[in-house]
Amino acid sequence: MTRPFTLQQRLRTVILVPAVAGALALGGLAIVQFGDGSPLIGILAAAAAAVLVTLGFLGASRTTQDVQAALEDTIARGRAIETGVAPSPSPAANMEDLRPLNAVLEDIHEQHRVVRAQSEAIAAGALDSPILDTPTPGPFGPAIRGSIDGLRSTTDQLRDAEAVKASIMDHVSDAIVVVDANDEIVASNAVAKVALDLFGGSMDDAIPGWKDLTIGEHDFSRTLTDGSLTLTQVSTSRMMTSSGAVTMLCWRDVSGERAVQAQVAHVARTDIVTGLPNRQGVLAAHDRLHDLSRSASVIHIDLADFSQINQRHGFKEGDRVLQTISKRLTEVIRTSDTVARVSGDEFILLLESQGDNVDGLARRILDRIAEPIELENGATISLAAHAGWSTGEVDGEYELLRRANYALAEAKDDPDSVSSYSAEVAQRDENRREWEQQLRRAIANDEFVLYAQPIVDIFERRVLGVEVFLRWQHPSGRLISPGDFIAIAEESELIVDIDRWVIAKTIEQAAASDPSIVFSLNVSTRFMASPLMTKFVTTTLATHGVPAGRIQIDVTETNVAADVRGVIESIRSLNEVGIKVALDDFGTGYSSLAHLLKLAVSTIKIDRRMVSMVNEPEGRGVVAAILAFAKKRKLTVVAEGVESEEEVAALADLGCRFQQGYYHGHPADLVEMLDSLDSIPFQTLDEGADDDEDDADGAAAATAAAAASGPASASVAEQPGTPATASA
Ligand code: C2E
Ligand code: CA
């Protein structure tokens, strides 16, 4: 039966284990401390300390002298191991008692040997030495082992990285050479070796003047023995290494690359049809003159009706005509000047001069252009053109080009077909730009308001809907009519913002008003031909929960003429979502009928000029013909600009029941007008259209009643003091 530990024994166990460990740790510290001097002393000191502590705790069985002797013996043995001199035996020592201590010392000795061999192997860089595979003994074994493994793995990684770097160096297409402070090559890649071999291994021959190159990129060209010219690009950089500063030179032949770049740039700046510079080309030429701070003249030429040539004679003939024109233009200028084709039928001449008679030259050019051109198909044609020109200093903003372009627009209204950017033109241009700026601000500051005019059914004496007109509430207090600013807005993208505003505001109002009112809108040519328009209208309708049938869009002849295809497409998509379209100002253009047949409109609005002639036989005949045609095609007809009782009567007599004009109501603020319409029973334009089957007799009878009782919707017509137009 085992005896339970006494308290003293337990205490000894508890204290002994950490004490030995602590002593070993101290020894370890000593190894680290004296590592480069005498690690053995450290180990021995540790061992001695361990012995002391151990013996101390072993307690009563050992005398102080025993311990003293044992300690001395231990130290003497340690010295012997260090010095190789055998110790004289200690008479006081009881050798039996020292046996376990000897074993400890042997063990420590072995640990020391292995660790020393391993440190030596590491110091010698012999990471593949078998000693490093020997398990490191002792309490620090795992830590030392970890360090050895870590060192081996780091060395492997470095070795790999070195190999990858060497491989990259050899695979880049640039030659790379690293030279030291004495201009000696300390490293180079495979390409550099080949490149240097071509020059007998001499850097001076491979890269003449390389020692004087500054840090950065340098190009140098040279003629080779076969006479060909090469272009070399050298880039130099400097860096610090442990053995001092080195310079790295990378170089390559860029002759081919540069040739391709130049070719690409040339193609990008050249018009394929004529071989002349294109818009990019003329801009580049302009930039060159600007860099040289020169003055210049610009003539901008626009061929009139050129598209007709393509249409009548085909694109091939069209291209040939352009080539002939470009040849003629090239003949009238000097080689230092630039002639460019900047769009299908527009040319720009950039003349590096100030004193020339540019106006005379512009006229001569138009004469040259007008000379007959014989086509391959035997036909002979003659082209008209317009020219606008400007002259002055070449700035960085292409102002000369812009001015010539502005003058060209003026030339189109000039009987001479030539216009310069004169003081007068400049003033107009300045005004236009000022307007444009103000319009921009007006959009940002929400300076627009909507006016509206009622559209009435004179037979039923009801208001069917309203046509919405835009007004600009200028900060000066003036109310400006669209006629004064729409054209300017149309020259820029501003118009689309305005159109969006009108559409959104109108739909917002429609949502808040009686659901039977139809709102007619005017949209610019630009937006009318855009596929985005229908999308914008439908999304806005959806946002406000307004049915598509409550909006109608007026298109004008000018809208259609500007982009027939775009407008046809817009009308189709509007119809598809249930939005009706009216052809505005009908009867004014000779092509009205032609357009009407192409367009899927549901309403025709007879123009005010036609209406004002309705009491003359000719005018009456035209209106009657329009009404008959519309009836046949089931189109609604609205007479616009009805100003007098006589006109109302004459129109009614012809059966034109839907009317709009000052007689029935001046345009007034939309919100106020809608408020005053609240009490009136409405019907939509479409319901009116269904009644179109009414015969003329019925119409005449209703007219008499309407004319006798005055304006159909008196409450609207009597809107107080509303200006017809802002300028009023
Ligand atoms: P429009 O569509 O032909 O509009 C009819 C023009 O005649 C309106 O001028 C209207 O105020 C005026 N008017 C109405 N009744 C009579 C009348 O009995 N006699 C006379 N002499 N004139 C009458 P307004 O408002 O100055 O608009 C002029 C043009 O500006 C419009 O011609 C339209 O093409 C355009 N416009 C109007 N509002 C907008 C708009 O919101 N957006 C766009 N893009 N254009 C608009
Ligand atoms: Ca209109």
Side-chain angles (χ1 to χ4, degrees):
M1 209 179 115
T2 47
R3 246 183 344 129
F5 281 126
T6 63
L7 179 63
Q8 199 183 13
Q9 279 171 324
R10 271 190 225 158
L11 272 174
R12 273 187 203 139
T13 315
V14 170
I15 297 168
L16 185 65
V17 175
V20 173
L24 284 170
L26 277 174
L29 260 179
I31 290 176
V32 174
Q33 199 87 29
F34 305 107
D36 49 351
S38 176
L40 187 59
I41 297 289
I43 294 172
L44 290 174
V51 169
L52 247 176
V53 175
T54 310
L55 293 181
F57 283 96
L58 283 178
S61 64
R62 300 281 180 272
T63 64
T64 310
Q65 285 88 341
D66 284 346
V67 172
Q68 188 78 32
L71 193 53
E72 273 165 17
D73 190 64
T74 304
I75 291 171
R77 277 163 173 275
R79 287 244 163 76
I81 296 168
E82 273 269 285
T83 59
V85 180
S88 53
S90 165
N94 177 344
M95 293 314 284
E96 267 314 295
D97 281 350
L98 289 177
R99 196 156 292 147
L101 193 57
N102 275 341
V104 171
L105 285 172
E106 302 281 278
D107 196 26
I108 290 172
H109 187 214
E110 177 56 15
Q111 283 175 37
H112 173 246
R113 195 192 61 76
V114 172
V115 171
R116 174 136 79 182
Q118 285 179 337
S119 352
E120 277 164 3
I122 291 168
L127 284 174
D128 38 10
S129 156
I131 185 69
L132 293 184
D133 294 327
T134 310
T136 314
F140 304 106
I144 296 174
R145 184 78 254 146
S147 302
I148 291 174
D149 291 346
L151 199 56
R152 275 182 155 174
S153 132
T154 308
T155 314
D156 286 350
Q157 281 169 15
L158 280 173
R159 225 179 261 150
D160 290 350
E162 204 54 44
V164 170
K165 207 169 75 189
S167 162
I168 291 174
M169 284 273 278
D170 285 342
H171 280 88
V172 289
S173 49
D174 288 14
I176 303 173
V177 156
V178 180
V179 291
D180 64 12
N182 303 319
D183 295 335
E184 293 294 332
I185 295 177
V186 288
S188 62
N189 68 349
V191 182
K193 284 180 190 121
V194 174
L196 288 173
D197 277 352
L198 287 175
F199 295 95
S202 153
M203 273 294 280
D204 289 327
D205 290 338
I207 308 173
W210 66 277
K211 287 177 190 162
D212 302 325
L213 291 178
T214 51
I215 301 302
E217 286 202 345
H218 309 271
D219 283 355
F220 69 89
S221 56
R222 90 177 107 199
T223 313
L224 298 181
T225 39
D226 65 355
S228 62
L229 194 76
T230 64
L231 189 63
T232 307
Q233 187 182 61
V234 190
S235 81
T236 56
S237 55
R238 204 148 287 163
M239 57 189 152
M240 279 309 290
T241 68
S242 54
S243 46
V246 293
T247 305
M248 182 156 89
L249 292 111
C250 305
W251 75 94
R252 67 197 162 113
D253 184 356
V254 289
S255 322
E257 214 172 281
R258 292 290 160 85
V260 171
Q261 273 171 11
Q263 226 169 333
V264 169
H266 179 73
V267 168
R269 288 176 183 171
T270 307
D271 166 46
I272 310 167
V273 176
T274 60
L276 292 177
N278 58 15
R279 188 175 293 278
Q280 293 310 317
V282 79
L283 292 182
H286 182 281
D287 288 345
R288 277 196 298 279
L289 291 179
H290 176 236
D291 290 345
L292 298 168
S293 311
R294 294 285 160 79
S295 292
S297 303
V298 173
I299 305 177
H300 197 148
I301 295 156
D302 181 28
L303 305 177
D305 297 326
F306 182 75
S307 56
Q308 300 257 346
I309 297 191
N310 279 336
Q311 274 167 23
R312 284 206 202 124
H313 304 283
F315 284 96
K316 246 186 176 171
E317 290 283 21
D319 285 356
R320 249 178 250 126
V321 170
L322 288 170
Q323 284 150 8
T324 306
I325 300 287
S326 63
K327 192 159 166 281
R328 288 178 184 177
L329 292 176
T330 315
E331 281 163 8
V332 297
I333 58 160
R334 292 164 299 204
T335 43
S336 58
D337 298 333
T338 304
V339 52
R341 179 174 170 239
V342 292
S343 78
D345 54 1
E346 286 178 52
F347 293 86
I348 285 181
L349 282 82
L350 178 62
L351 316 164
E352 191 190 335
S353 62
Q354 309 162 26
D356 285 351
N357 176 1
V358 186
D359 196 69
L361 178 63
R363 286 167 204 277
R364 269 207 315 283
I365 287 171
L366 295 194
D367 289 345
R368 279 293 272 140
I369 290 173
E371 285 172 19
I373 298 174
E374 247 183 67
L375 302 182
E376 295 243 316
N377 62 15
T380 302
I381 58 145
S382 172
L383 277 175
H386 298 99
W389 61 269
S390 65
T391 190
E393 274 175 25
V394 178
D395 67 3
E397 307 291 321
Y398 306 110
E399 181 63 14
L400 274 186
L401 294 171
R402 197 193 66 78
R403 289 182 176 182
N405 181 254
Y406 189 82
L408 173 64
E410 293 256 330
K412 289 180 183 168
D413 296 328
D414 194 299
D416 276 358
S417 300
V418 175
S419 171
S420 71
Y421 192 79
S422 61
E424 203 184 312
V425 174
Q427 186 56 54
R428 276 198 290 276
D429 183 25
E430 188 50 43
N431 286 348
R432 187 187 59 94
R433 296 227 273 178
E434 169 71 15
W435 272 93
E436 215 177 278
Q437 226 166 3
Q438 290 203 25
L439 271 177
R440 236 174 259 282
R441 195 204 53 215
I443 294 168
N445 297 353
D446 214 7
E447 290 171 14
F448 294 112
V449 283
L450 289 184
Y451 267 47
Q453 181 176 47
I455 301 168
V456 301
D457 176 345
I458 54 142
F459 292 173
E460 298 281 339
R461 303 184 61 207
R462 283 174 189 160
V463 175
L464 307 169
V466 293
E467 176 170 0
V468 175
F469 299 122
L470 183 62
R471 297 287 180 268
W472 177 7
Q473 186 66 68
H474 196 271
S476 66
R478 279 174 66 209
L479 192 66
I480 307 177
S481 282
D484 290 339
F485 63 87
I486 288 287
I488 293 163
E490 281 196 325
E491 283 174 24
S492 65
E493 78 297 346
L494 287 174
I495 190 66
V496 175
D497 288 339
I498 295 178
D499 284 327
R500 285 176 197 267
W501 184 89
V502 171
I503 293 168
K505 263 282 186 282
T506 304
I507 292 176
E508 214 177 282
Q509 281 305 321
S513 65
D514 188 301
S516 62
I517 306 174
V518 172
F519 290 73
S520 289
L521 293 172
N522 297 282
V523 179
S524 76
T525 303
R526 202 191 273 233
F527 206 33
M528 189 62 214
S530 160
L532 299 175
M533 197 261 285
T534 307
K535 199 151 179 250
F536 182 76
V537 177
T538 46
T539 340
T540 317
L541 284 170
T543 308
H544 293 279
V546 174
R550 292 195 57 208
I551 296 292
Q552 179 167 296
I553 290 176
D554 287 4
V555 296
T556 63
E557 287 266 61
T558 1
N559 283 155
V560 182
D563 185 350
V564 184
R565 246 193 244 166
V567 173
I568 289 178
E569 191 43 42
S570 283
I571 296 177
R572 192 197 57 73
S573 62
L574 285 169
N575 282 338
E576 222 169 66
V577 297
I579 297 167
K580 296 216 163 85
V581 178
L583 187 59
D584 215 352
D585 309 335
F586 190 75
T588 50
Y590 67 95
S591 60
S592 286
L593 218 67
H595 279 150
L596 182 59
L597 298 174
K598 274 192 232 159
L599 308 170
V601 295
S602 57
T603 300
I604 303 171
K605 299 181 88 170
I606 304 178
D607 187 71
R608 181 158 53 86
R609 276 160 287 184
M610 222 71 249
V611 169
S612 66
M613 294 194 301
V614 73
N615 278 310
E616 293 161 24
E618 203 185 327
R620 191 182 164 86
V622 175
V623 174
I626 294 172
L627 285 164
F629 170 83
K631 191 167 181 176
K632 232 164 135 184
R633 299 190 73 113
K634 293 204 169 359
L635 296 170
T636 303
V637 177
V638 176
E640 281 186 318
V642 180
E643 291 182 349
S644 68
E645 204 173 303
E646 291 75 39
E647 284 165 9
V648 177
L651 286 165
D653 204 30
L654 291 169
C656 182
R657 61 191 301 177
F658 303 121
Q659 299 180 7
Q660 173 185 359
Y662 293 166
Y663 182 80
H664 301 293
H666 277 271
D669 181 89
L670 174 63
V671 180
E672 287 172 24
M673 173 171 289
L674 290 173
D675 283 348
S676 68
L677 292 180
D678 266 357
S679 54
I680 302 174
F682 298 113
Q683 79 185 68
T684 65
L685 285 172
D686 291 324
E687 282 163 358
D690 294 338
D691 294 344
D692 247 0
E693 299 304 322
D694 285 357
D695 60 19
D697 289 347
T703 311
S709 59
S713 52
S715 62
V716 174
E718 282 162 18
Q719 288 276 321
T722 317
T725 65
S727 6

